[in-house]
Amino acid sequence: MNRNYVSFYEDEIIKRDVARIVSIQTNLTNVCPQHCIMCHKPEWAKIQTGRNAALDPIHTANELNSMPSLETIVLSGGDPMNYKHLQEYISAIKPKIKFGMFTTGLDNGINRYADLPLERFGYIR
């Protein structure tokens, strides 16, 4: 498995909590249904396929759970509502960690909002 996308988490300074990271923003996927003129995400999604187009939910959750001071994860992308492993990812993150999310509000008609644990979110924008 190629894990280059989380290499900076593996830095011993971060794991020892010297940096005291309390919030982190993560791009779950480069997929987005919008084609905003100022955004290059649609091009990224075309070039990246398979594992390169989206984060592995369990590996990523484990890495974030290992950060001792982490309090908040901000989900972005592309659009996190188009990340097919969203529920699995949220469930794998420690319950004490809260979320924020930047989204277009569109989820390709899959209605991933229906089961979203809203009590874990400080905001969805």
Side-chain angles (χ1 to χ4, degrees):
M1 174 190 293
N2 180 352
R3 295 188 179 161
N4 291 336
Y5 59 85
V6 292
S7 61
F8 104 85
Y9 295 118
E10 295 162 359
D11 185 325
E12 287 304 312
I13 293 172
I14 291 172
K15 290 225 174 172
R16 282 183 302 174
D17 201 24
V18 173
R20 190 154 167 16
I21 296 173
V22 295
S23 184
I24 195 162
Q25 181 171 334
T26 181
N27 290 353
L28 296 177
T29 180
N30 286 326
V31 176
C32 180
Q34 300 290 75
H35 294 282
C36 302
I37 59 171
M38 74 289 200
C39 181
H40 298 286
K41 293 291 181 171
E43 287 86 16
W44 292 1
K46 287 176 194 169
I47 339 177
Q48 297 174 319
T49 58
R51 182 164 303 282
N52 293 326
L55 296 180
D56 176 271
I58 301 305
H59 176 72
T60 304
N62 288 341
E63 289 297 320
L64 294 174
N65 285 335
S66 75
M67 298 173 73
S69 300
L70 193 63
E71 298 172 4
T72 307
I73 299 171
V74 178
L75 309 177
S76 61
D79 193 325
M81 291 309 295
N82 284 268
Y83 179 55
K84 64 182 180 179
H85 306 291
L86 184 60
Q87 296 297 342
E88 181 182 7
Y89 174 78
I90 291 171
S91 297
I93 299 290
K94 292 178 186 175
K96 69 175 186 161
I97 298 175
K98 300 297 180 194
F99 294 96
M101 181 177 4
F102 294 112
T103 178
T104 63
L106 303 172
D107 67 354
N108 290 334
I110 297 169
N111 200 13
R112 289 190 180 96
Y113 286 108
D115 297 322
L116 204 60
L118 296 177
E119 68 280 356
R120 292 196 66 187
F121 284 81
Y123 63 89
I124 298 176
R125 294 193 175 109

